[in-house]
Amino acid sequence: MQHDQRPTLPQPDATSAEHSTRVAEYIRARMADAGGSLSFAEFMQHALYAPGLGYYAAGATKFGAKGDFVTAPEISPVFGRVLARQCAEVLADVERGSILEYGAGSGRLARDVLETLARFDALPERYEILEVSAELQERQALYLRGELPELVSRVAWLDRPPVNHAGVVIANEVLDALPVERFKRCAGGVMQLRVIDDGGAFAFVEAPAPEKLLESVLAIEEQLGGKLPAGFVSDISLGLPAWVSALADTLQCGVAFLFDYGVTRREYYAAERSGGWLRCHFRHHAHNNPLLLTGIQDLTAWVDFSAVAEAGLTSGLDVAGYSPQAQFLIGGGLEAEMQEFGSLPLASQLELSGQVKTLTLPGAMGEHFKCLALRRGDVRIPSAFRMADRTHTL
Ligand SMILES: C[S@@+](CC[C@H](N)C(=O)[O-])C[C@H]1O[C@@H](n2cnc3c(N)ncnc32)[C@H](O)[C@@H]1O
């Protein structure tokens, strides 16, 4: 396994360390309830979402320079402005359409999309947010009331997906936050990696894979045309199909834009990628040991976009496009959004061009991040996919 057991990480402050101890105690209690171990997906679920305790459920800063990581909307408003242009195209094809955003983080993306749509006189009836974290819901409401006092009345927070949503769905870096299972292919079978308490520290142990995990790994091997090599360790989100199916139940007509870091299935399970796709973030240090800093670091897994497309098709949606973030932004109106660039003061020009580089350069977010769009109904393919649609690679 490719775990760097002792990455060089900053020390958490006393309050965070204390909080982490509480989360770890909560997880140990859940392990005891379950007979001594948890699947990695259960561990990840508790570490991120345990009510009032998990990384997304408690008060950590998370986003931006003072947090643990930055996402595209935190890097630049240009991301949301270009996406808003794509939203406007979809909304033009849907009667009385609205926007539904999953996992809205700090609320910045909602601000940028709404501000831009107001500029185009193309505001949706409603901007709905479905956020699992009560703490983030509060933070988003506070932020949007301050930033968009005249538009915030259009924003609503939902407890469950709406029935018959028509218009746009947005999810930026939500799929990577869904819990994943870890597995290991051995010569004689498939093992599940489970988490135990090993004398005060969490550790992985192997156990025979339960039926659903085993079936899913065998199905992947069948698609890839052969067994994964012995000793190969990787990840799989067994909850992803249900998430996409719930999205499909909601989307009566329109387009869902799903952004994340991810690859096709063939790339995900390529022999040289043994070690899997988990990524952890603590104070802007990325590493791959998910068993450290429990509850105070972000745990994520890259996305198998073929699995997302497959789940969409099974649920009656079609794939409207799949493209790297750079091509999505360039095809989707980046140049038009940069028209004022020459008239900005030099310092702002430098700042903006730095932001655009981060969003688009292959070594930054341009290539690893993708947008997969799922669609239902008589809605045009968003123009952002005209530049480089890679749906055929999925
Ligand atoms: C990595 S953050 C991304 C936040 C924001 N979209 C951004 O780009 O800055 C993941 C977000 O997804 C939310 N989330 C995780 N699982 C979710 C689910 N099943 N439904 C809705 N939101 C979810 C988290 O609470 C968090 O707000």
Side-chain angles (χ1 to χ4, degrees):
M1 217 157 46
Q2 277 184 338
H3 273 159
D4 179 0
Q5 292 301 335
R6 277 195 219 97
T8 315
L9 293 169
Q11 283 297 313
D13 59 38
T15 315
S16 303
E18 217 177 281
H19 183 76
S20 181
T21 304
R22 275 205 300 280
V23 183
E25 273 165 13
Y26 174 89
I27 292 179
R28 276 191 199 99
R30 302 289 75 75
M31 270 174 189
D33 294 345
S37 70
L38 292 173
S39 71
F40 181 69
E42 290 164 335
F43 176 89
M44 186 168 169
Q45 175 70 31
H46 293 313
L48 293 181
Y49 305 110
L53 279 177
Y55 181 75
Y56 282 109
T61 306
K62 303 180 262 286
F63 313 102
K66 291 191 183 140
D68 300 303
F69 58 89
V70 281
T71 58
E74 301 293 326
I75 287 165
S76 177
V78 167
F79 177 79
R81 290 177 192 157
V82 174
L83 178 57
R85 290 172 172 266
Q86 299 304 301
C87 296
E89 289 181 14
V90 177
L91 292 171
D93 284 353
V94 174
E95 227 173 286
R96 295 169 62 80
S98 57
I99 297 178
L100 167 65
E101 183 181 357
Y102 282 77
S106 68
R108 264 171 209 256
L109 184 56
R111 178 201 64 182
D112 298 333
V113 168
L114 279 167
E115 249 177 20
T116 310
L117 291 174
R119 175 155 53 92
F120 294 152
D121 200 15
L123 279 168
E125 298 258 315
R126 273 158 69 86
Y127 192 106
E128 296 170 327
I129 293 180
L130 191 61
E131 171 59 69
V132 286
S133 159
E135 190 270 331
L136 282 178
Q137 281 189 23
E138 272 176 41
R139 236 199 268 185
Q140 291 153 9
L142 196 68
Y143 177 76
L144 291 172
R145 275 200 292 274
E147 292 282 314
L148 298 176
E150 66 296 350
L151 295 180
V152 76
S153 60
R154 288 173 194 263
V155 184
W157 281 265
L158 310 179
D159 294 331
R160 60 181 75 93
V163 180
N164 291 339
H165 174 78
V168 177
V169 175
I170 299 171
N172 187 58
E173 290 204 38
V174 175
L175 296 176
D176 71 68
L178 299 180
V180 291
E181 291 286 354
R182 297 224 93 179
F183 67 88
K184 182 173 178 182
R185 182 29 125 168
C186 298
V190 175
M191 304 301 279
Q192 180 186 42
L193 295 189
R194 299 183 65 82
V195 184
I196 56 158
D197 177 19
D198 184 18
F202 292 125
F204 280 116
V205 288
E206 295 173 14
E211 201 177 323
K212 190 171 174 196
L213 176 59
L214 177 63
E215 276 172 9
S216 306
V217 175
L218 295 180
I220 289 169
E221 290 186 329
E222 200 180 319
Q223 277 187 2
L224 297 178
K227 270 191 186 174
L228 295 163
F232 185 89
V233 171
S234 196
D235 309 296
I236 181 169
S237 174
L238 298 182
L240 177 79
W243 190 91
V244 175
S245 157
L247 165 74
D249 287 347
T250 283
L251 188 62
Q252 183 208 355
C253 173
V255 175
F257 295 98
L258 311 177
F259 294 88
D260 232 304
Y261 30 92
V263 290
T264 63
R265 174 161 299 152
R266 204 156 277 287
E267 294 166 301
Y268 207 92
Y269 297 107
E272 65 273 18
R273 280 305 308 211
S274 180
W277 295 86
L278 287 178
R279 209 74 184 126
C280 314
H281 301 268
F282 181 68
R283 308 270 186 274
H284 298 278
H285 286 68
H287 67 100
N288 58 2
N289 190 337
L291 305 184
L292 298 176
L293 300 164
T294 310
I296 56 170
Q297 70 171 353
D298 189 26
L299 302 181
T300 71
W302 282 49
V303 174
D304 169 1
F305 274 112
S306 305
V308 184
E310 211 172 77
L313 294 174
T314 308
S315 310
L317 302 176
D318 64 68
V319 176
Y322 171 63
S323 131
Q325 179 169 289
Q327 277 75 26
F328 181 91
L329 294 176
I330 295 166
L334 180 63
E335 203 181 329
E337 275 306 318
M338 299 292 280
Q339 258 173 10
E340 311 285 299
F341 186 78
S343 59
L344 296 174
L346 185 60
S348 309
Q349 285 189 7
L350 289 173
E351 191 185 8
L352 192 54
S353 69
Q355 293 172 357
V356 171
K357 277 184 193 158
T358 307
L359 292 177
T360 58
L361 285 181
M365 296 177 84
E367 177 67 27
H368 295 324
F369 281 74
K370 313 281 188 330
C371 178
L372 177 88
L374 296 172
R375 174 178 70 151
R376 190 196 299 280
D378 191 13
V379 184
R380 281 168 296 167
I381 300 278
S383 60
F385 294 109
R386 283 196 206 123
M387 183 151 177
D389 184 11
R390 292 195 195 162
T391 302
H392 62 281
T393 64
L394 287 167

